[in-house]
Amino acid sequence: MSIDKQKSLIVKKLDKFFSTYRRISFKKGEIIIRADDPPAGIFYLKEGVVREYVISQKGEELTLNIFRPYAFFPMSYAINKTINNHFYEAQTQVLTWRAPVEDILQFIKNEPEVMFDLLARIYIGLQGIFARMEYLMTGSAKARLLTELLIYAKRFGDKKTGKITVDLRLTQKDLSAQSGIARETVGRIIKTLKSKKLIVFQNKKLIINDLRGLEEKLS
């Protein structure tokens, strides 16, 4: 079975399971789960984009992860009963279904393909986290921002005609929060990358004209 057909099958299974539970919509900027509040269940993201973040001791928002359909969260709470210290916020208009923890655990135990897909996506997310950790500890501001752009390109990019489009409505404020760099510094680096025609922002979309060029800048 091809990868596309396998993903389509998994999405159908998820849709069928979650559609029997409560359907909940969120407006852009609305908090879905608050830090330190026990989640009311596991949310399945059918439409939109959700940001997971923490607030630092300095009061800054630090983005940890971005969810797109067909993600479901917070699975750390479901599997390990981990206390939730993170905020989950709708970055766009969002449509979800919410299922009880016990039901989703039984579902993934009975569906090995869904379990394997969840595990694969967790490891993809970890790769991004490890890259962030490496450059937060040893890299310059430029390296940290380039790392964020490459993570977005590889996780969420849609490759067409040699270019990569990331349709997440990213702003310089978002990139500042995710890389831990001041907005002014982000602005200067973005300006340089634009002047070299490596990237462009168009209709609130990030378009990477030269992925290899970005990678070379990082290396």
Side-chain angles (χ1 to χ4, degrees):
M1 183 184 297
S2 69
I3 293 176
D4 288 342
K5 286 185 178 180
Q6 187 174 10
K7 285 187 177 182
S8 178
L9 177 61
I10 290 169
V11 171
K12 286 180 181 179
K13 288 184 177 182
L14 288 168
D15 284 351
K16 182 179 180 180
F17 170 77
F18 277 100
S19 63
T20 61
Y21 296 95
R22 185 182 176 188
R23 182 178 183 269
I24 311 174
S25 297
F26 296 92
K27 297 178 181 179
K28 180 181 178 180
E30 193 171 354
I31 300 298
I32 299 171
I33 303 174
R34 294 188 177 276
D36 299 325
D37 285 350
I42 301 303
F43 290 86
Y44 172 56
L45 182 57
K46 183 61 179 174
E47 297 176 7
V49 179
V50 172
R51 178 172 71 110
E52 178 185 2
Y53 69 93
V54 295
I55 297 179
S56 71
Q57 292 182 348
K58 295 180 180 179
E60 299 171 333
E61 294 181 3
L62 302 176
T63 300
L64 301 176
N65 204 356
I66 300 290
F67 296 96
R68 294 185 73 180
Y70 48 103
F72 43 104
F73 57 87
M75 287 306 293
S76 177
Y77 173 77
I79 294 173
N80 299 317
K81 303 301 179 185
T82 305
I83 295 174
N84 175 56
N85 296 317
H86 303 164
F87 290 88
Y88 293 79
E89 178 189 59
Q91 278 202 307
T92 63
Q93 183 76 21
V94 163
L95 172 64
T96 69
W97 285 308
R98 189 180 69 198
V101 170
E102 296 76 12
D103 293 3
I104 183 63
L105 288 178
Q106 189 60 49
F107 169 68
I108 61 176
K109 286 177 183 177
N110 293 336
E111 295 289 349
E113 296 91 351
V114 175
M115 174 72 85
F116 184 83
D117 181 71
L118 172 63
L119 186 60
R121 286 187 284 123
I122 288 173
Y123 273 100
I124 290 172
L126 283 174
Q127 288 177 351
I129 291 172
F130 291 151
R132 287 190 182 104
M133 288 174 61
E134 179 182 353
Y135 286 100
L136 281 172
M137 291 185 291
T138 63
S140 64
K142 181 180 178 181
R144 286 152 61 181
L145 183 57
L146 286 171
T147 299
E148 287 298 326
L149 294 175
L150 289 170
I151 288 171
Y152 276 113
K154 292 174 181 178
R155 285 193 64 190
F156 305 113
D158 181 15
K159 190 172 183 179
K160 292 180 180 177
T161 64
K163 299 180 180 181
I164 297 177
T165 301
V166 181
D167 188 8
L168 286 180
R169 297 181 176 270
L170 284 173
T171 65
Q172 290 187 12
K173 180 182 177 182
D174 296 329
L175 291 170
S176 173
Q178 289 149 27
S179 59
I181 303 170
R183 286 182 66 179
E184 295 79 8
T185 305
V186 170
R188 287 195 297 270
I189 298 171
I190 291 294
K191 185 177 181 180
T192 300
L193 295 175
K194 285 181 178 179
S195 70
K196 295 182 182 298
K197 298 183 179 180
L198 293 173
I199 68 169
V200 65
F201 284 91
Q202 193 174 77
N203 298 325
K204 297 184 178 181
K205 298 178 183 180
L206 166 65
I207 299 175
I208 297 174
N209 295 320
D210 186 354
L211 181 64
R212 181 168 292 181
L214 278 186
E215 292 173 332
E216 289 175 354
K217 285 281 184 184
L218 182 59
S219 63

